[in-house]
Amino acid sequence: MAIAKSASHDVIASEQQLADLIRQIQAADRVALDTEADSLHSYREKLCLVQISAPSAVILSNVEGSRGTASNVALPGSSPSLGMTVQSVCDFIVDPLSSLDLEPLRQALEPREIVLHAADYDLRMLRRGLNFAASRIFDTLIAVRLLGIHEFSLGALVKRFFGVELHKHSQKANWALRPLPPRMLKYAVDDVHYLLPLAAKLEEELERVHRRDWFQQSCGRAIELAAAERERVQDELWRIAGAGALDPHTGAVLRALWQWRETEAELADRPPFHILQNHELLKAAESFTSGHVPDYKHFSARRRQTFREAAKIALQSPQSEWPVMRRRSGSRPTEEMRRRSDQLRERRDKAAAQLGLEPSFIASRGALEAIAADSARATALLVPWQRELIGMED
């Protein structure tokens, strides 16, 4: 049976429309979410859109002013034993940049199971933008990898299960623009429209192969990781790829140029790579240290002057202020550690071949080496089903 493509939507723009959406969310146990942000267009990334899809079986179709539009999404063979059978979904777009108070939306969403694809980024953006912390998730990316499906982008999955080609023309668009053109709204809706029916199909498959418990373990770990604060040590951020090979004097110049770039990016409200990309920053530091003055046509006179001044100050700084250049840390693995790592890898690869899974999804090379060096790290790095498959049972 064919699937109806999602339609373009207006953005929820009033308190009444938001209240209607919240009532519809509260009537469902499971809703799907996706987000759009402006990381490619501003200095401080911000949440720009929240797309929400709810099952139309619980949609209050006579609610006046609703901005959602139901689209029939067939689910051949859906099993009522796995929960509701979704025959259609209703999609909504919420604007976090508007003046709407979204605290009631956060409260409505948190108790529900949230369907996402590749949940980590969306969960972090929702936490930053709405102070939202998920209690239950259904990550379709985890599900398909547990089923041994190797093409796991959302576009590939929608094509595989529903025969619909998603167009990614707005993937790098500026989502902070207002008003958003219809093609961008349609792109945003497409990213959430198929998640509920996809989750229902994947749920059936996980039950069939008896991996639902594994899935729940992995989703639980995904929630934990997304909730963890990623510490940003300011004096370490300038150590971009290639910095470890520099001498301390050149490192001092690189550090100064990186700090200059941050200031310029914040002033312009643009991502730092719009000012100067990392590889250019590295070359510039090397050029200044060797006595050459690099130049860039896109620099204004003011920017060119501050760029050179930052390098000059670093070049003239005393050796006591130069950074300590750190090569790759860590001691060489012992013969016993290598032996344990090889044993773990052999078990992992054997299990992966038997189950039709990617070996790295069971345990990455880095995780295996860390566990070989310290078996106590297994619990932090792997969930129970992964530990069991590599022979690290509790």
Side-chain angles (χ1 to χ4, degrees):
M1 193 179 298
I3 272 192
K5 293 184 179 180
S6 56
S8 185
H9 292 258
D10 294 332
V11 177
I12 285 179
S14 72
E15 296 287 351
Q16 182 59 56
Q17 291 165 357
L18 182 61
D20 293 341
L21 168 59
I22 288 171
R23 282 196 294 271
Q24 295 174 38
I25 290 171
Q26 290 171 336
D29 182 61
R30 169 188 284 179
V31 296
L33 288 185
D34 187 57
T35 65
E36 305 296 344
D38 61 348
S39 59
L40 298 178
H41 300 273
S42 65
Y43 178 67
R44 285 189 172 85
E45 180 182 40
K46 57 185 174 293
L47 181 65
C48 295
L49 285 185
V50 179
Q51 305 95 282
I52 301 173
S53 187
S56 67
V58 297
I59 295 299
L60 308 177
S61 59
N62 61 346
V63 174
E64 185 177 354
S66 171
R67 289 289 182 173
T69 300
S71 305
N72 291 329
V73 181
L75 288 178
S78 294
S79 170
S81 65
L82 296 179
M84 61 183 172
T85 302
V86 183
Q87 293 302 327
S88 58
V89 295
C90 197
D91 307 313
F92 303 84
I93 297 178
V94 177
D95 182 6
L97 303 183
S98 71
S99 59
L100 292 175
D101 177 11
L102 299 183
E103 173 61 15
L105 177 64
R106 182 194 68 79
Q107 293 177 2
L109 289 171
E110 282 197 342
R112 315 212 120 67
E113 182 181 44
I114 306 299
V115 180
L116 309 108
H117 183 75
D120 184 76
Y121 179 79
D122 292 314
L123 290 177
R124 291 182 185 277
M125 289 307 303
L126 289 165
R127 180 183 180 186
R128 187 184 306 172
L130 299 183
N131 196 29
F132 170 82
S135 57
R136 294 178 293 148
I137 67 168
F138 189 112
D139 189 335
T140 53
L141 176 60
I142 293 174
V144 296
R145 296 191 74 183
L146 272 173
L147 293 171
I149 297 174
H150 300 298
E151 292 186 62
F152 42 70
S153 70
L154 182 60
L157 295 172
V158 170
K159 179 72 172 177
R160 177 189 182 110
F161 286 99
F162 307 122
V164 174
E165 195 84 40
L166 295 184
H167 298 289
K168 308 304 283 184
H169 50 74
S170 297
Q171 195 166 21
K172 297 182 179 180
N174 185 357
W175 292 99
L177 290 175
R178 296 295 183 270
L180 288 168
R183 65 181 179 84
M184 289 177 66
L185 293 174
K186 183 182 185 305
Y187 171 95
V189 169
D190 280 346
D191 270 358
V192 75
H193 178 71
Y194 298 94
L195 289 180
L196 284 175
L198 177 61
K201 296 176 81 69
L202 296 175
E203 191 171 38
E204 278 195 331
E205 287 301 300
L206 289 169
E207 289 283 350
R208 185 180 63 81
V209 297
H210 308 292
R211 294 179 190 171
R212 182 60 193 261
D213 183 54
W214 292 4
F215 174 71
Q216 291 173 337
Q217 292 174 26
S218 295
C219 285
R221 178 58 59 87
I223 291 174
E224 293 172 6
L225 292 175
E229 292 286 351
R230 291 181 176 175
E231 293 186 9
R232 292 169 59 86
V233 181
Q234 290 299 317
D235 192 45
E236 297 295 318
L237 297 179
W238 62 271
R239 297 179 188 273
I240 59 178
L246 302 179
D247 63 85
H249 196 194
T250 307
V253 178
L254 175 64
R255 180 177 60 187
L257 294 181
W258 186 92
Q259 292 168 344
W260 163 85
R261 185 179 68 171
E262 288 294 300
T263 300
E264 289 293 311
E266 187 170 13
L267 285 171
D269 192 23
R270 291 289 184 271
F273 71 84
H274 279 205
I275 308 300
L276 208 61
Q277 295 188 21
N278 281 354
H279 71 276
E280 294 172 322
L281 207 65
L282 199 67
K283 287 181 180 179
E286 293 174 321
S287 294
F288 276 121
T289 309
S290 63
H292 299 94
V293 179
D295 196 16
Y296 302 92
K297 293 181 180 179
H298 65 283
F299 278 10
S300 65
R302 182 202 61 78
R303 183 169 290 173
R304 183 174 293 108
Q305 180 182 355
T306 58
F307 175 66
R308 293 175 178 176
E309 287 175 352
K312 181 179 179 180
I313 292 171
L315 286 168
Q316 295 176 348
S317 64
Q319 187 172 349
S320 61
E321 294 180 4
W322 296 353
V324 176
M325 304 308 293
R326 301 187 181 98
R327 265 58 177 185
R328 188 173 180 177
S329 60
S331 56
R332 290 181 177 274
T334 64
E335 187 62 34
E336 177 60 20
M337 288 163 57
R338 281 194 289 267
R339 184 187 65 79
R340 287 200 298 265
S341 181
D342 289 343
Q343 288 179 340
L344 292 171
R345 186 173 62 253
E346 288 174 7
R347 294 174 196 161
R348 179 202 66 178
D349 293 350
K350 181 179 179 180
Q354 291 173 340
L355 297 168
L357 300 178
E358 298 168 84
S360 62
F361 185 59
I362 297 175
S364 68
R365 176 181 173 181
L368 293 180
E369 290 176 349
I371 293 168
D374 180 5
S375 60
R377 297 196 62 193
T379 302
L381 294 172
L382 304 175
V383 292
W385 72 265
Q386 293 170 318
R387 299 199 297 270
E388 181 181 353
L389 291 182
I390 66 167
M392 297 290 297
E393 298 93 337
D394 295 334

